[in-house]
């Protein structure tokens, strides 16, 4: 059994759900604009990483974490209970397509599935979490629009090609692209990931680039973004 991953202020147990902690998740959790948000929604929370990072970053927030898969939901709940923020984290074992809360959200955060062709792996919940069959981009964006407040923000991370496709679909749903960070593993590598912020409200657009590795190890930008989480970051 995978023992999980320990951060500075919390531990992620993986259990039997087969969803390891990824750099993608940490990047999104550290990057998303959630500091002023009272109500945060984590769509497809998996083991609960993004919810826990959000709770750590914003001490005034309440985080609802929706997860469809039983094993992942069970693991996320235990991770929440064992964290310092258990009173502000709420696990909802439900399909996001049928989720109808009594309130809207100031911030939505989601590391969405993006494999949309080819043979799916035979690893159960991890396969479902990684393939858009379970949550196509169009349906995800419709959910976000229905669940967001008028000035809310929704943050995602996707590979470069799928991320650009996602942005185009979002525009058809009247979303504004308000923030974009292009991720490169090194200065010489092509952009591999896009950190995407969408809003119904037309905030001023911001675009940046983040390079993960420098010649001496992690880049200063990456260290500054993730230093409150990774154990070995100053």
């Amino acid at each position: 059994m995978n023992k999980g991953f320990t951060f500075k202020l919390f531990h992620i147990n993986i259990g039997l759900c087969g969803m390891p902690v990824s750099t993608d998740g940490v990047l999104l959790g550290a990057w998303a604009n959630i500091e002023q948000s009272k109500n945060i929604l984590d769509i497809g929370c998996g083991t609960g990483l993004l919810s826990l990072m959000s709770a750590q970053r914003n001490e005034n927030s309440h985080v609802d974490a929706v997860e469809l898969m039983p094993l992942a939901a069970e693991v996320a709940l235990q991770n929440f209970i064992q964290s310092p923020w258990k009173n502000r984290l709420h696990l909802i074992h439900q399909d996001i397509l049928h989720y109808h809360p009594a309130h809207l959200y100031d911030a939505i955060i989601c590391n969405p599935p993006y494999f949309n062709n080819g043979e799916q792996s035979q690893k159960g919940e991890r396969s479902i979490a990684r393939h858009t069959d379970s949550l196509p981009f169009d349906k995800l964006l419709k959910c976000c629009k229905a669940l967001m407040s008028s000035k809310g923000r929704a943050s995602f991370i996707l590979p470069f090609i799928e991320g650009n496709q996602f942005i185009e679909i979002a525009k058809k749903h009247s979303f504004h692209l308000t923030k974009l960070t292009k991720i490169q593993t090194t200065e010489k590598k092509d952009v591999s990931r896009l950190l995407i912020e969408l809003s119904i409200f037309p905030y001023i657009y911001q675009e940046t680039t983040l390079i993960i590795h420098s010649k001496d190890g992690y880049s200063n930008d990456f260290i500054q973004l993730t230093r409150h989480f990774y154990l070995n970051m100053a």
Side-chain angles (χ1 to χ4, degrees):
M1 182 183 295
N2 194 316
K3 294 182 179 180
F5 197 97
T6 299
F7 292 91
K8 285 183 176 178
L9 298 184
F10 63 89
H11 178 79
I12 292 287
N13 177 46
I14 304 302
L16 299 173
C17 71
M19 298 176 185
V21 171
S22 68
T23 302
D24 282 9
V26 176
L27 282 168
L28 177 59
W31 178 87
N33 188 346
I34 53 90
E35 288 88 350
Q36 304 301 319
S37 302
K38 292 184 178 180
N39 294 306
I40 300 171
L41 174 63
D42 179 2
I43 296 179
C45 72
T47 55
L49 172 64
L50 295 176
S51 295
L52 289 159
M53 293 181 74
S54 297
Q56 177 181 332
R57 291 180 56 204
N58 183 344
E59 63 182 13
N60 298 313
S61 66
H62 175 89
V63 185
D64 289 333
V66 177
E67 175 54 52
L68 172 64
M69 304 310 298
L71 290 177
E74 182 179 346
V75 168
L77 180 60
Q78 292 305 310
N79 287 334
F80 292 170
I81 291 171
Q82 294 167 14
S83 78
W85 314 288
K86 61 183 179 181
N87 294 330
R88 295 192 287 113
L89 293 161
H90 181 211
L91 191 283
I92 301 157
H93 179 202
Q94 187 175 342
D95 187 336
I96 191 63
L97 298 178
H98 305 297
Y99 178 55
H100 303 290
H103 61 273
L104 298 177
Y105 291 93
D106 308 312
I108 295 175
I109 190 167
C110 178
N111 185 354
Y114 56 82
F115 289 157
N116 52 27
N117 51 46
E119 183 179 353
Q120 295 191 18
S121 69
Q122 301 301 312
K123 294 186 178 180
E125 295 199 5
R126 186 181 180 191
S127 173
I128 292 173
R130 290 161 63 87
H131 286 79
T132 58
D133 288 357
S134 61
L135 187 59
F137 290 164
D138 188 69
K139 290 185 177 181
L140 171 58
L141 287 160
K142 286 181 180 178
C143 284
C144 289
K145 191 171 183 180
L147 296 169
M148 284 173 63
S149 64
S150 60
K151 293 190 177 181
R153 302 171 189 261
S155 301
F156 311 87
I157 187 166
L158 283 162
F160 180 74
I161 293 174
E162 289 83 356
N164 281 304
Q165 294 170 347
F166 187 76
I167 291 168
E168 291 306 309
I169 296 171
K171 290 177 181 177
K172 294 179 182 178
H173 288 278
S174 301
F175 278 106
H176 296 276
L177 176 62
T178 52
K179 188 178 175 185
L180 181 71
T181 296
K182 299 176 179 180
I183 306 296
Q184 297 171 243
T185 53
T186 68
E187 188 175 4
K188 294 183 178 180
K189 295 288 183 66
D190 293 334
V191 174
S192 60
R193 293 289 187 273
L194 296 178
L195 285 161
I196 299 164
E197 181 188 272
L198 303 174
S199 178
I200 300 167
F201 186 82
Y203 291 104
I204 296 173
Y205 176 67
Q206 304 174 54
E207 181 175 320
T208 57
T209 298
L210 189 149
I211 298 170
I212 296 176
H213 296 283
S214 66
K215 294 179 181 179
D216 302 319
Y218 289 118
S219 69
N220 289 332
D221 287 344
F222 183 78
I223 291 171
Q224 288 302 309
L225 182 64
T226 62
R227 63 189 177 89
H228 295 297
F229 302 99
Y230 283 130
L231 286 173
N232 297 323
M233 296 294 188

